[in-house]
């Protein structure tokens, strides 16, 4: 049973396109996160949602828009993709905003 | 500004040896210090974590040593095995805060 699942696992697309990444967790957690891991493997938080409410927005360009239809899902929509958006995006979840956080296996986004 | 500094960037250890990875933090408000293990193509997975009220925590072959006055903590892997080969991340968070701040990662290779 996958605890935090992301789709798709790989995403290859052209610069300027719009794409979405979906995340679902079956752990009963109420807090979900998006992280970006760059080519040097550095992990940085982008957003966190608590019960569908945005809590953290780490100076991410507004081309990135998270959407949480319910507390088990947190999707990431990216408009006008740029070369610098190429990275691995990880979804995570936790209980009541506390630690520990549980991560999905990532979505590798490649911009051509 | 890098709030959590991790070293070394890469480490090669012989099977059966001790692997040691170090981290230093700046923010004295941090009070939760986890270590995550990441295998290629997978998301980070929590390995072990410590809070500053103890100086050491051991789980099997993995030990965290914590020095509050020096604002440093380290991961020791005893009897290192080839299956331990992975990228290790230290991180830090403030109590009640959802944001995990990660170190830069250490690529550990255990030679058989």
């Amino acid at each position: 049973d996958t605890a935090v699942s992301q789709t798709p696992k790989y995403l290859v697309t052209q610069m300027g396109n719009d794409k979405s990444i979906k995340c679902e967790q079956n752990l009963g957690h109420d807090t979900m996160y998006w992280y970006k891991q760059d080519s040097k493997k550095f992990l940085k938080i982008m957003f966190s949602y608590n019960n569908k409410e945005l809590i953290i927005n780490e100076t991410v360009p507004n081309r990135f828009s998270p959407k949480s239809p319910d507390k088990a899902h947190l999707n990431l929509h990216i408009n006008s993709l740029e070369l610098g958006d190429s990275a691995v995006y990880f979804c995570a979840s936790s209980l009541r905003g506390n630690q520990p956080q549980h991560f999905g296996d990532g979505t590798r986004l490649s911009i051509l | 500004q890098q709030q959590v500094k991790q070293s070394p960037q890469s480490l090669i250890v012989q099977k059966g040896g001790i692997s040691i990875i170090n981290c230093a933090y700046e923010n004295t408000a941090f009070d939760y210090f986890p270590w995550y293990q990441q295998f290629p193509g997978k998301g980070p997975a929590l390995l072990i974590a410590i809070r500053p009220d103890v100086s050491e925590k051991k789980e099997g072959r993995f030990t965290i040593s914590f020095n509050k006055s020096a604002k440093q903590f380290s991961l020791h892997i005893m009897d290192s095995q080839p299956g331990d080969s992975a990228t290790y991340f230290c991180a830090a968070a403030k109590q009640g805060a959802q944001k995990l701040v990660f170190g830069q990662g250490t690529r550990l290779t255990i030679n058989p």
Side-chain angles (χ1 to χ4, degrees):
Chain A
D1 288 343
T2 304
V4 181
S5 59
Q6 298 178 224
T7 54
K9 190 168 177 66
Y10 301 97
L11 190 49
V12 182
T13 189
Q14 302 270 9
M15 205 164 52
N17 284 351
D18 302 339
K19 290 293 178 186
S20 291
I21 306 172
K22 294 185 175 182
C23 179
E24 175 183 3
Q25 55 91 9
N26 63 5
L27 295 167
H29 291 165
D30 51 9
T31 306
M32 296 185 72
Y33 312 79
W34 278 109
Y35 285 83
K36 180 180 180 179
Q37 186 171 49
D38 63 23
S39 58
K40 295 184 178 179
K41 290 210 169 256
F42 185 63
L43 267 165
K44 192 174 191 306
I45 191 167
M46 300 172 68
F47 302 103
S48 79
Y49 266 75
N50 193 328
N51 273 325
K52 303 192 295 176
E53 180 185 352
L54 179 66
I55 302 298
I56 294 175
N57 182 341
E58 281 287 303
T59 59
V60 177
N62 57 15
R63 297 183 296 104
F64 290 78
S65 52
K67 286 196 170 43
S68 181
D70 56 62
K71 71 176 189 178
H73 296 83
L74 181 62
N75 304 322
L76 184 64
H77 189 77
I78 316 170
N79 289 329
S80 305
L81 280 157
E82 300 177 357
L83 289 175
D85 298 332
S86 294
V88 181
Y89 292 85
F90 286 99
C91 177
S93 72
S94 70
L95 188 61
R96 290 191 296 273
N98 293 320
Q99 308 297 340
Q101 296 180 19
H102 298 257
F103 285 76
D105 283 340
T107 295
R108 182 174 292 276
L109 174 62
S110 300
I111 311 301
L112 303 178
Chain B
Q1 182 187 4
Q2 184 63 40
Q3 293 192 60
V4 179
K5 294 184 179 178
Q6 183 173 345
S7 62
Q9 194 172 349
S10 64
L11 180 63
I12 300 174
V13 175
Q14 291 299 117
K15 179 183 174 182
I18 303 173
S19 303
I20 302 174
I21 305 171
N22 301 299
C23 280
Y25 63 97
E26 298 171 5
N27 191 338
T28 55
F30 287 148
D31 62 355
Y32 174 76
F33 303 91
W35 284 89
Y36 279 81
Q37 180 188 55
Q38 185 180 24
F39 292 107
K42 296 293 186 182
L46 180 66
L47 193 60
I48 186 172
I50 196 168
R51 294 199 183 269
D53 51 345
V54 295
S55 60
E56 186 175 282
K57 183 174 181 180
K58 184 176 180 179
E59 289 182 4
R61 295 184 295 110
F62 301 91
T63 300
I64 299 180
S65 297
F66 184 79
N67 186 330
K68 189 173 181 178
S69 60
K71 294 188 288 184
Q72 294 175 347
F73 58 110
S74 60
L75 175 70
H76 295 235
I77 306 175
M78 311 300 287
D79 187 25
S80 299
Q81 299 297 312
D84 296 331
S85 296
T87 300
Y88 291 81
F89 293 93
C90 64
K94 290 186 274 189
Q95 185 175 9
Q98 300 173 3
K99 182 178 171 180
L100 261 179
V101 179
F102 282 89
Q104 301 94 316
T106 297
R107 188 171 193 161
L108 174 65
T109 303
I110 307 299
N111 283 336

